[in-house]
Each structure stands twice: as C-alpha cells, then as structure tokens.
Amino acid sequence: MSELTSLWAGIGLLADWQVILMMILGLLFGIVTGAIPGFSTPLAISVMLPVTFGMDSLQAIVFLTCIYAGGNFGSSISAILINIPGSPQAIVTGLDGYPMTQQGRGSEALGVAVAASAIGNLLGAIFLILILPLLVKFALSFGPPELFLVGVIGLTIIASLHKSFLKAAIAGLFGVLIGTIGMTDTGAMRGTWGFYELLDGVPLIPALIGLIGFSELFMMLQRTYVAGDSAADSGTEKSKNLKQLLRGFVTTLRHPITLLRASTIGVLIGGLPGAGATVASVVSYNEGRRYSKNSANFGKGEPEGVINSEAANNASEGGALALLLSLGIPGGLATAVLIGGFMLQGLVPGPRLFMDNPALMYGVMTSQVFASFMLLFFGLVVSFYAAKIIRVPTMVLIPLIALFSIVGTYAVKLLMFDVYIMLVFAVVGVVLRKFDYPLIAVILGLILGPILDDQLMRTYQGSGGLSISIFLERPMSLLLLAILALSLLPLVVRLAKEHKKRAGQTKVEQH
C-alpha cells in the first residue's frame, strides 16, 4: 500500500507547470541534438548538466531524462533522411529507413519511427514502474561470463546481415579487430601505432560518421536529390508529407506483437550493464526479421525493420533507468552521465534513494509515461519539417552535411585527431561499399569488440584461468548458450540449403 501511496504522490509532483515545461524543453533539445551527427545523447545530457545546478531536484532529473528520451528518437531522423545516424543506436534504423527515403517514403519512415519510439518508450516506462525489482534481480545474475556470451550472441547476428556469410563474417571480424585497439585492463597497448589518442580505443562517433555517413556523401554525388529528381516538386509536398507521416503512424499500430516483442527485448537488454540501446536494437532487428512474414524485404525499405529498431532502442531506456535508480549502475554512457545529474542534486542512485525519496523516484518514473505522449506530438512536428531536407539539391546538401559531420566529430572531444579518424573511416566505408561488404557488420563488431575483450579478461581473472567449464557451471550461462545455439540454427539451415542448391547445379552441369 505504501508503494501505491508513493506512486500517487509522485504523480502529484508532476502537476506543476515548471516540471511540464522542463519535460517539453528536454524532449525538444534531445530530438534536435539527436538528429545532429556526432551530437550524441550522452553529449547532449552532459552539455545541460551545468544548467540544472540551480533547478529543483525533480525539474532537473526530469529535464535530463527527457533529453535522453528525445535523443533516442532524434538520432533516427538523420539516419532515415541522409543515412547518417545521430547516435550509434540509430544505425539499424537506417537499414530500412534510408531505403524508404530513397523510394520517396521518407516521411512515412519518420512516422513509423515516431510511433514506434513513443510506444517503445511508453512500454519501457511501464516496465520500469511495474517490474523493476524483477529486472534488477535478473541483471544481477549476469556476471562477466554471461556478458561475454551476450556479446557472442550479438556477433552471431552478423551472420544474417548479408546475403554472403563470408563477407559478413569478414566485415564483422574486421570491426572486432578495430574494437580491440587501445590499452587493455592489464596495461598492454595494442594497435595504437604510437598515437596516445587511441589509448581509450578507436573513438566510436568519428568512426560511425565516417564509415556510414561521410562515405554516403560519395554515393550522393551520383544523384541530384536524395530521393530522386521528383523530390524537388513541392506543389503538394506539405499534404503528401502529412499523409505519409500519418500512414507511417497507422502502419506501426498494425504490428502490436512486433512492438511488444521489440520493447521487451529493449527493456531486458537495457537492464544489462554495458549493453545499451545499440545492442538492443540489433538483437531486436534480427529477431524481428526471423519472425516476420516480410523478412525478405528487410534492408530494402521494410517499415517493420524500423519498428523493431526504434521500439527496442527507446524501450531500453526503461531498463537502463531501472538499473540506475535501483542499483546505481549505469547501463551505458547516457545513464553514466545521468549519475552526474543526480549527484549535482545531492542524490546518490541506489536502494537508499527509494527508501529516502520514494515520491521523487516515482515522479521521475511516471514522468517517462507522460514524456512518451509528448514525444509522439513533438516528434511528428519535428519530423514534418525535417522531411523537407530531401528536397534540398545534393549540390547544396553534400557540403552542408560534410561541414556538420566535421564540426560534430570535432565537438565531441575538441580534437582534430577525431576528424582524421573520421576521414580514414570514410575511405574505408567507400571501399567496403564498392566490394559489397556490409557496413553494419563492421560497426557491430566495433561496438562488441571492447565488450568481448573486457568481459573475457574479467572471466579469466575471476576464475583463475580460462576454462569452458565456467560457462557450463552457471545456470544463466547455460541459458545463454542455448539461445546462442538457437540463433545459429537458421544460419546452419541456410548454408545447408545453399550447399544443396550448388550441388544440384553441379550435377546438372555434369549431365
């Protein structure tokens, strides 16, 4: 009963125009900055930390968490329209969102993304309120061996990212190799070539912008407009954009099972330390393709692909906040920065926070429910105007995107070295595109490489030596091994069919 009383008290705290204003400003700031390549959600939150110093505790925390929610959606805008994800979690969104833009359905893709993001955020907030204790217990059962296996499961997804398993595997392993550059936990340095800037590893944002975004500019040189010459016709464009946005919204509502599955995956993975929204969206996309009736269209402009990605990466916020609020453990970079926001208010995330400030914590959690509905409205408004970017000629758009990419890359750490890294990866991206290697596999390997490296080392140190038995002695590890085997099954079946087909063709040729 006391929890119900605290919940009502928390909702009552939100009935303040200043709190509502902070929610709106936070969402708008998150959406706009999330759409700027290089201006990641953690960076957006960190920029606003000093602003919250003089605020009331609830206003400050709600403002920062709404930036988090808005940024998760905002990063999909640039991914869909110009194939440059604002943040890593939108990489998968671009797989189907950008092809939809090229087909003249950019506004529809944005409508799908807005609806999936808002619903995913809403379901994540409900999970956060209802099953927080269960989620925390589940997350606590994951030690280094389990987190290593989560990374391995992520790597197996690479196998289904491309029609050629060999090319996908090579691209993924190339990404893992790059991801292990830097200083190890034991103090050893690998692949830094004497550059101290690489001690912390290859910077992800510059690599992401260069590999996917900047290399895309070379593809744009061959077109007059992003979505073809017809994009210039603006006679009925406003009406068309609005209709497409609403069509995308309705399309999302027609996939309730997909939304629920993707949101559940997002919450569960978001609640794992170090996993984050990017891993959640990749896993959700893979599972969505496995169960979809339109699996053959994934990667070619399938709205269901956007739904899987956006619902998962927005729902992951609920899991990440649950971990942060109850245990004080950040699920990723964004929640790590949020800890600073709590500290500025004299609050220490963890079990004591619920005991000492239950109404405040329930206020923060329920604010995410209201933020979901606000995200739906403001997301549609921003998307309506953002969609006009595809009508800008590429001769104007390319230099502008190049400028923003360079400035965004430089702004992360104020280092020209990051700009050079971005340009190197742009060249790599062009080469990979030319020979039809999947860029998403490289990015996924780059993200998972440090996780695999770190957790394998911790497993080794914690067990006094590396042995396969450590993965067989823990119930959660056994469950993950079973999931790993199931995830590999479709690949084995596909390879067997391809082998049988090739054998049949060889027989025909011999006769």
Side-chain angles (χ1 to χ4, degrees):
M1 185 63 70
S2 61
E3 287 189 6
L4 188 59
T5 303
S6 298
L7 176 61
W8 283 116
I11 295 173
L13 291 175
L14 299 177
D16 181 341
W17 71 269
Q18 291 179 315
V19 174
I20 295 172
L21 178 62
M22 287 300 104
M23 291 173 65
I24 293 172
L25 292 177
L27 274 173
L28 285 173
F29 184 75
I31 292 171
V32 173
T33 54
I36 300 173
F39 211 122
S40 62
T41 305
L43 178 59
I45 297 172
S46 62
V47 165
M48 286 291 110
L49 280 180
V51 178
T52 64
F53 185 72
M55 292 183 187
D56 173 79
S57 295
L58 182 62
Q59 292 175 23
I61 296 170
V62 162
F63 176 62
L64 295 175
T65 53
C66 282
I67 292 176
Y68 186 15
N72 276 346
F73 161 69
S75 59
S76 69
I77 294 176
S78 55
I80 289 171
L81 295 179
I82 54 177
N83 202 27
I84 304 180
S87 294
Q89 66 260 29
I91 297 170
V92 182
T93 303
L95 291 181
D96 285 285
Y98 186 62
M100 289 179 71
T101 297
Q102 292 177 307
Q103 297 162 14
R105 300 159 59 204
S107 292
E108 181 184 349
L110 288 173
V112 171
V114 171
S117 297
I119 294 171
N121 197 75
L122 176 63
L123 293 176
I126 293 172
F127 272 116
L128 174 63
I129 296 170
L130 297 180
I131 64 166
L132 185 138
L134 178 64
L135 185 62
V136 169
K137 185 177 179 181
F138 179 73
L140 282 174
S141 65
F142 276 65
E146 287 77 21
L147 290 173
F148 172 76
L149 287 175
V150 169
V152 173
I153 291 171
L155 276 181
T156 62
I157 295 171
I158 291 175
S160 61
L161 292 176
H162 198 264
K163 56 187 177 184
S164 170
F165 167 69
L166 182 60
K167 286 188 174 182
I170 291 173
L173 292 174
F174 174 64
V176 171
L177 188 64
I178 296 173
T180 56
I181 289 174
M183 184 178 287
T184 68
D185 292 338
T186 59
M189 288 185 288
R190 294 178 302 198
T192 60
W193 296 88
F195 293 105
Y196 71 89
E197 293 92 346
L198 293 176
L199 289 177
D200 290 331
V202 173
L204 182 59
I205 295 298
L208 175 63
I209 292 176
L211 198 61
I212 294 182
F214 217 80
S215 65
E216 178 65 32
L217 298 184
F218 292 92
M219 304 297 115
M220 284 188 186
L221 288 172
Q222 304 169 26
R223 301 191 297 270
T224 307
Y225 294 91
V226 173
D229 291 349
S230 61
D233 180 15
S234 58
T236 57
E237 196 65 31
K238 286 187 177 181
S239 175
K240 181 182 176 183
N241 282 354
L242 183 58
K243 287 180 180 178
Q244 282 199 1
L245 277 170
L246 296 177
R247 185 187 304 137
F249 178 81
V250 172
T251 298
T252 303
L253 297 180
R254 289 173 180 164
H255 294 84
I257 303 300
T258 300
L259 284 166
L260 185 60
R261 181 182 61 242
S263 299
T264 303
I265 290 172
V267 169
L268 293 177
I269 293 182
L272 302 178
T278 306
V279 177
S281 63
V282 171
V283 173
S284 173
Y285 186 84
N286 184 66
E287 292 303 304
R289 176 159 55 179
R290 180 180 301 177
Y291 294 106
S292 174
K293 295 177 181 177
N294 303 315
S295 58
N297 294 330
F298 273 55
K300 301 175 183 177
E302 172 57 46
E304 204 173 338
V306 178
I307 295 172
N308 277 286
S309 172
E310 283 302 294
N313 72 41
N314 281 270
S316 70
E317 181 189 346
L321 284 177
L323 194 63
L324 174 68
L325 295 176
S326 57
L327 298 176
I329 300 173
L333 285 176
T335 44
V337 180
L338 276 176
I339 289 179
F342 278 89
M343 297 292 189
L344 280 176
Q345 300 299 321
L347 303 170
V348 180
R352 290 292 308 177
L353 193 57
F354 272 100
M355 296 173 65
D356 298 337
N357 303 279
L360 175 65
M361 286 303 95
Y362 274 109
V364 171
M365 289 190 289
T366 51
S367 72
Q368 294 304 297
V369 174
F370 294 108
S372 300
F373 293 101
M374 291 182 182
L375 176 62
L376 189 59
F377 174 75
F378 289 110
L380 285 171
V381 172
V382 173
S383 295
F384 177 77
Y385 290 102
K388 294 181 179 181
I389 196 172
I390 64 174
R391 299 203 309 272
V392 179
T394 53
M395 64 181 293
V396 176
L397 200 58
I398 289 173
L400 284 175
I401 294 173
L403 178 62
F404 277 114
S405 296
I406 292 171
V407 172
T409 300
Y410 178 77
V412 176
K413 295 181 182 176
L414 302 179
L415 290 174
M416 277 304 296
F417 182 83
D418 286 354
V419 177
Y420 301 145
I421 287 289
M422 185 267 288
L423 293 174
V424 169
F425 274 91
V427 174
V428 172
V430 171
V431 173
L432 291 174
R433 287 174 187 269
K434 181 176 176 60
F435 293 99
D436 198 27
Y437 283 88
L439 298 183
I440 180 62
V442 181
I443 292 293
L444 184 56
L446 183 59
I447 293 169
L448 292 176
I451 296 175
L452 290 166
D453 186 35
D454 184 46
Q455 300 305 330
L456 186 62
M457 179 59 70
R458 292 189 181 191
T459 302
Y460 176 82
Q461 292 171 339
S463 60
L466 197 58
S467 172
I468 192 67
S469 61
I470 192 171
F471 297 104
L472 302 174
E473 295 169 352
R474 301 164 65 101
M476 195 57 67
S477 291
L478 286 172
L479 175 62
L480 289 171
L481 284 171
I483 294 172
L484 176 61
L486 287 173
S487 68
L488 287 172
L489 189 59
L491 171 63
V492 174
V493 172
R494 192 182 87 189
L495 292 176
K497 286 181 178 179
E498 290 177 358
H499 177 73
K500 186 177 180 181
K501 185 178 179 181
R502 283 196 299 268
Q505 289 175 345
T506 304
K507 275 188 177 182
V508 171
E509 290 172 0
Q510 287 175 350
H511 287 294

